[in-house]
Amino acid sequence: QVQLVESGGGLAQPGGSLTLSCVVTGTINSMPIMGWDRQAPGKQRELIAMIHKSGATNYTDSVAGRFTISRDNAKNTVYLQMTDLRPADTAVYYCRGRIRSFIDGPYSDYRGQGTQVTVSS
C-alpha cells in the first residue's frame, strides 16, 4: 500500500518561508513524476509544481520564482520550499505522484492527505 504523508505546513507571515516535505512509503518500484497541488478556500485545486526523476521541474506562473520543488530519490521524499509567501498562498497543499509498486506493473496516481499553509500577519 503506497502512502504519501505531507508535513511542514503551518502559519507564516507575508514575505516569510516554509518548507513542505512529502514522504512516500510502501512498496515502490518507480515514481517518475511527483508534484504539489493546492486548494484555497472556495477555489478549485490547482497543480503548482512538478518534478521528474531526472530533476526537471515545472511551475505554475503564480509560484514560479518563489517556490522550489526538489526530491531525494534515495529517501523517496519530495520537498516544496516556499519563499516570499503571500496571503494568496493560503491553501491546503497536497503531495501527488505517479507511482508503480512492481517492475512491469501499472502506474497509479496517488495523493496525500494535505497540509494546511496559512499566510497572515
Side-chain angles (χ1 to χ4, degrees):
Q1 182 79 9
V2 173
Q3 288 189 314
L4 281 63
V5 181
E6 304 99 334
S7 62
L11 177 64
Q13 291 190 338
S17 301
L18 283 174
T19 298
L20 307 182
S21 300
C22 170
V23 179
V24 184
T25 62
T27 303
I28 302 163
N29 169 263
S30 176
M31 32 187 268
I33 300 173
M34 300 295 296
W36 290 90
D37 292 344
R38 70 182 181 186
Q39 187 165 19
K43 294 189 177 181
Q44 288 189 331
R45 188 173 294 180
E46 63 171 335
L47 174 62
I48 60 171
M50 295 190 73
I51 185 167
H52 187 264
K53 62 181 179 181
S54 66
T57 59
N58 195 24
Y59 301 92
T60 193
D61 288 346
S62 61
V63 307
R66 300 187 298 122
F67 291 9
T68 302
I69 188 171
S70 61
R71 60 190 290 168
D72 184 332
N73 293 328
K75 296 181 179 180
N76 291 334
T77 301
V78 182
Y79 305 95
L80 185 68
Q81 184 178 5
M82 305 184 292
T83 63
D84 189 23
L85 283 164
R86 305 165 181 172
D89 295 317
T90 296
V92 179
Y93 285 69
Y94 300 89
C95 179
R96 60 185 289 177
R98 173 150 289 190
I99 299 166
R100 72 178 181 189
S101 293
F102 304 98
I103 193 167
D104 294 331
Y107 283 97
S108 297
D109 292 321
Y110 294 88
R111 180 175 281 116
Q113 293 294 313
T115 185
Q116 176 70 46
V117 172
T118 302
V119 183
S120 174
S121 56

